[in-house]
Amino acid sequence: MKSTKPFLLFFSAVITLSSCTAISQKKASQNSLKDAYKNDFYIGTALDINQIEEKDTKTTQLIAKEFNAITAENIMKSMFVHPEKNKFDFETSDKFIAFGKKHKMFIHGHTLIWHSQLPKWFSEIKDTAEMNAALENHITTIVKKYKGKVDSWDVVNEAVNDDGTLRKSVFFKALGEDFIAKSFQLAAAADPKVDLYYNDYSMENPAKRAGVIRMVKKIQEKGIKIDGIGMQSHWHLNSPTIEEIEESILEYAKLGVKIAITELDVSVLPSPYGMQGAEVSQRFANNEKMNPYPKSLPDSMQVKLAQRYADIFKLFLKHKDKISRVTFWGVNDTQSWLNDFPIKGRTDYPLLFDADLQSKKAYYSVIEAAKK
Ligand code: G3I
């Protein structure tokens, strides 16, 4: 009788080799944020001008390795792309689009209609006809220019107050609440295929949520296209709670739209007067008590941040069928707007990469969450 030993040895070698390959493939597939979540949702970051212009090679490499979606942190806002009534300036936004194309990324446009970072000429319009014309020219020109290049737009940003009423912005004053539906209508006409989002902060607050839902329903009842809701997600270590976030995800999803987490960061610093959200007009004075980690973040706090991110991503994964994209508001801690908000000159640690572009504990906890 022929001995079966060589066959057994051969088969066990094949099995060992293939399981090693499976493990190394698994490891390789979890080598970056975008790979860890590739079957779930896009993982994005906001880019500042230096990152768009690829001023630092290490930063560019990190962005290309970790992220598959980008948003311009500032340069697509109206004060930059439409500085004068009859003048558009696409020099920097073209570079942003080129960056996304080069790295084969999902490109999100931020933002068409926002009351902040508006050029002077836009912010001074009071007349209804003039505002209608300005809105039409602004949205149509920009959306057509990037038709087929931008994958989704924040059409209207921050139009709802925390109590659910509509913000009395320059657009509202000239056009009433119709400016919201009209903006979506204009964007859809300029590029029928691009995804159109409403984007705002404090979207977990029940009163604000009710206002946003009312507003979105009105757009839908008019038969106007709205594809998604952007929850900015400028959060803190303990607030909002995971339950509050989940409730909002579920409520927005009932509208039949996609949900994107558009500007995620977690501040570890004390919040003045328990302030939440991202109302840019609110500023407070700096002092030692409000800036407790000027040099580095203690390990105990790194652990807390890592746990918070783990909880957040566990929730996102639970609702991955509803979530299209999770974008961090910046690449690393030094870039974060939170170093200057709501108190100027503090040192915050809200992101996954530190000042030296090193992965923090929070980075590993987000990668780990994907494995579970
Ligand atoms: O453009 C000037 C430049 O000329 C000047 O040299 C420099 C000196 O400080 O300031 C530059 O303007 C800054 C601008 O960012 C562009 O870099 C402003 O001071 C600064 O206040 C502004 O902050 C941005 C903020 O929006 C404005 O409201 C933040 O970087 C940006 O992260 C933040 O992003 C917003 C989202 O768009 C909407 N949701 C809230 C989020 C956080 O506020």
Side-chain angles (χ1 to χ4, degrees):
M1 215 172 110
K2 255 181 161 181
S3 163
T4 55
K5 224 173 169 185
F7 289 103
L8 284 176
L9 279 173
F10 173 75
F11 282 124
S12 69
V14 169
I15 288 166
T16 316
L17 201 72
S18 59
S19 61
C20 279
T21 316
I23 290 168
S24 64
Q25 269 172 359
K26 196 164 185 203
K27 273 196 180 148
S29 74
Q30 284 159 348
N31 241 347
S32 69
L33 295 166
K34 70 175 183 191
D35 287 340
Y37 287 89
K38 69 171 187 287
N39 298 322
D40 308 315
F41 32 71
Y42 285 109
I43 295 280
T45 183
L47 300 184
D48 68 18
I49 183 67
N50 292 323
Q51 294 158 346
I52 291 167
E53 292 183 343
E54 303 196 30
K55 291 273 167 63
D56 177 66
T57 314
K58 269 194 180 165
T59 309
T60 308
Q61 283 169 350
L62 181 83
I63 295 166
K65 174 174 176 268
E66 299 291 344
F67 303 101
N68 52 18
I70 49 169
T71 304
E73 185 179 2
N74 284 297
I75 57 94
M76 276 191 137
K77 293 170 182 172
S78 56
M79 68 181 278
F80 297 106
V81 290
H82 198 173
E84 288 164 38
K85 192 172 177 181
N86 296 313
K87 186 183 158 217
F88 287 88
D89 180 352
F90 293 120
E91 197 185 330
T92 330
S93 49
D94 282 350
K95 289 182 189 169
F96 167 73
I97 303 291
F99 185 102
K101 288 278 161 231
K102 178 172 154 191
H103 298 288
K104 299 188 174 54
M105 290 166 157
F106 181 95
I107 301 177
H108 180 69
H110 175 76
T111 170
L112 293 168
I113 297 298
W114 188 28
H115 63 276
S116 183
Q117 287 177 293
L118 265 183
K120 195 164 176 287
W121 70 267
F122 218 159
S123 66
E124 286 174 348
I125 300 177
K126 293 194 173 61
D127 179 71
T128 305
E130 200 186 341
M131 183 59 94
N132 261 321
L135 210 70
E136 182 164 349
N137 185 30
H138 182 74
I139 295 175
T140 309
T141 307
I142 299 171
V143 177
K144 274 198 172 154
K145 155 97 182 152
Y146 292 120
K147 186 175 175 182
K149 293 180 177 158
V150 162
D151 298 293
S152 59
W153 278 106
D154 286 334
V155 178
V156 176
N157 198 42
E158 302 174 7
V160 179
N161 291 315
D162 284 354
D163 64 3
T165 59
L166 292 180
R167 185 190 288 271
K168 305 296 172 280
S169 66
V170 62
F171 312 110
F172 183 93
K173 284 180 190 154
L175 302 178
E177 68 177 287
D178 278 357
F179 88 87
I180 303 171
K182 188 179 163 78
S183 298
F184 278 89
Q185 197 169 29
L186 288 166
D191 183 355
K193 287 193 185 145
V194 72
D195 270 358
L196 305 178
Y197 278 76
Y198 173 75
N199 188 49
D200 213 328
Y201 59 82
S202 295
M203 296 285 272
E204 313 73 34
N205 162 350
K208 182 157 189 167
R209 181 172 65 222
V212 170
I213 290 173
R214 266 197 305 276
M215 185 204 75
V216 172
K217 280 187 173 161
K218 280 190 187 168
I219 299 173
Q220 292 175 324
E221 279 158 13
K222 287 187 169 136
I224 293 171
K225 179 171 133 83
I226 173 165
D227 303 284
I229 288 187
M231 298 174 68
Q232 290 186 6
S233 311
H234 295 294
W235 293 334
H236 299 263
L237 280 177
N238 300 311
S239 68
T241 63
I242 294 297
E243 291 72 27
E244 286 165 338
I245 301 169
E246 180 166 36
E247 207 179 321
S248 281
I249 292 175
L250 293 171
E251 288 300 310
Y252 295 133
K254 282 186 194 158
L255 293 164
V257 294
K258 297 174 189 174
I259 293 166
I261 306 297
T262 55
E263 305 181 13
L264 179 61
D265 47 29
V266 176
S267 175
V268 300
L269 298 183
S271 176
Y273 316 115
M275 189 200 153
Q276 308 287 330
E279 173 50 61
V280 285
S281 61
Q282 282 182 274
R283 301 267 170 187
F284 301 86
N286 197 353
N287 62 47
E288 261 176 47
K289 216 176 120 210
M290 297 312 263
N291 189 26
Y293 320 111
K295 295 217 164 68
S296 64
L297 191 66
D299 212 49
S300 60
M301 291 300 290
Q302 296 280 12
V303 171
K304 277 191 189 166
L305 183 68
Q307 186 55 53
R308 175 71 163 152
Y309 266 115
D311 295 343
I312 288 171
F313 273 80
K314 193 173 155 206
L315 179 73
F316 291 166
L317 283 167
K318 184 176 170 193
H319 296 293
K320 64 180 183 182
D321 58 323
K322 306 169 189 68
I323 295 176
S324 55
R325 171 172 59 93
V326 175
T327 288
F328 292 87
W329 204 237
V331 177
N332 71 336
D333 288 341
T334 34
Q335 179 192 347
S336 176
W337 71 296
L338 289 168
N339 294 312
D340 281 321
F341 179 87
I343 298 175
K344 215 168 168 46
R346 296 199 296 178
T347 309
D348 207 340
Y349 303 84
L351 298 166
L352 304 188
F353 300 97
D354 69 13
D356 303 317
L357 297 176
Q358 296 304 306
S359 308
K360 294 158 63 180
K361 281 195 167 65
Y363 171 86
Y364 295 105
S365 75
V366 170
I367 296 274
E368 277 304 308
K371 291 186 195 167
K372 289 179 186 156

